[in-house]
Amino acid sequence: MNTYTEDIETLTKSSHDIKKCEKCNFTCYAILFQRNFKNWTSGNDDIDKFIQDTQLSSHDNVKKVLEWIPYDRFHNIEYIAKYEFGEVYRANWIDGNIFYWDNENQNWKRKDHNMFVNLKNLNTPNNIVLELTNKINIEYKIHGITQNPKTKNYMIVLDNICDKCNHICYAIHFQQNFKTWTSGNYNIDKLIQNSQLSGHTYYSVKYALEWIPYNRFYDIKYIAKDESYRANWIDGNISYWNDENQNWKRENYNMFVILKSLDTPKHIINEIENEA
Ligand SMILES: [Zn+2]
Ligand SMILES: [Zn+2]
C-alpha cells in the first residue's frame, strides 16, 4: 500500500532516533505497536502477551492484529443469544478497525467506525490462551479482546455474524444499515426490515424491499388512466453485496418504475402485502 510506504519513509527520515525493526530494518507496524505496550493492559498477563504477539508479528500487515479494546469503546450493547460456548452480545464499536499508520497525526488511521461486532465470553480463565488460539483459527475475523467491568468476564470481539447461517450474510448487511434510514412510519420500517432479514443468500435479495428516498427518482410523470406515476429510479435494484466496497452492487440504473399511492394509512401493511 502506497500510503504505508510513504509514511514509513517519512518516519525513518524524520526521526533517526526511533527504534527500527530488526526484521524490516525500519520503523514498521510492529515497532509502532510495541511503543504503545505501556499504555494498555487487560489486567491478565497471558492475554496481554497474546495480544502483543499478534501485534509484534504485524510488520507490514495489520489484518491479523488483535487489540485490547476498553469496554467503553462499545455502545448499544445488546444481548443476542446463549450458545453452547457462552453468551453472545451485539454492539457497535466506536473506533473500528486499524487501517494504516497516519504519520501526520501520529496515530492509527481507522475505518468502519461504529461497525457492528459480536462480543463472546471467554469461558476458560485457566486456559485462556488455548481458547484464544482455537478461536483465532475460525473463519471470521477477531478484532480484539475486551472485559465487561461488571462481570469481569473477558470477551472476544468478532465480526457480527448471523445466528441463523453463521456468516456475515445478506440479512446482516441489511441489518447493519437499519440505523441509516427510516420511512417515518414504524410499521412500514418493520415491514421493510423483516423482508430484508428473511433472506440470507444471494437469491433472497430479490425479495427484499427497500426504503427509497423520493429524491432518488426523476422525470416523475402522472399517468391518469392508471392513477399512478411513472419515474426513473437513479440507483436501480440491488444485485449483490460487494465485499471490497462494503456496499451493495446495483444494476438497472435509471430503470423505469411505477409509483403507486398507498391509500389506507391505517391498513397500510395489509395494502403493501396485497400489492406484493
Ligand atoms: Zn518489522
Ligand atoms: Zn444469515
Side-chain angles (χ1 to χ4, degrees), residues 137-170:
N137 291 326
I138 44 185
E139 62 186 294
Y140 35 80
K141 161 85 177 157
I142 297 186
H143 304 282
I145 301 170
T146 189
Q147 183 184 36
N148 182 327
K150 279 201 192 120
T151 63
K152 303 287 175 206
N153 281 333
Y154 285 104
M155 304 168 106
I156 49 169
V157 181
L158 69 165
D159 276 330
N160 175 35
I161 51 168
C162 176
D163 54 9
K164 289 217 179 71
C165 63
N166 245 355
H167 284 95
I168 309 179
C169 66
Y170 278 35

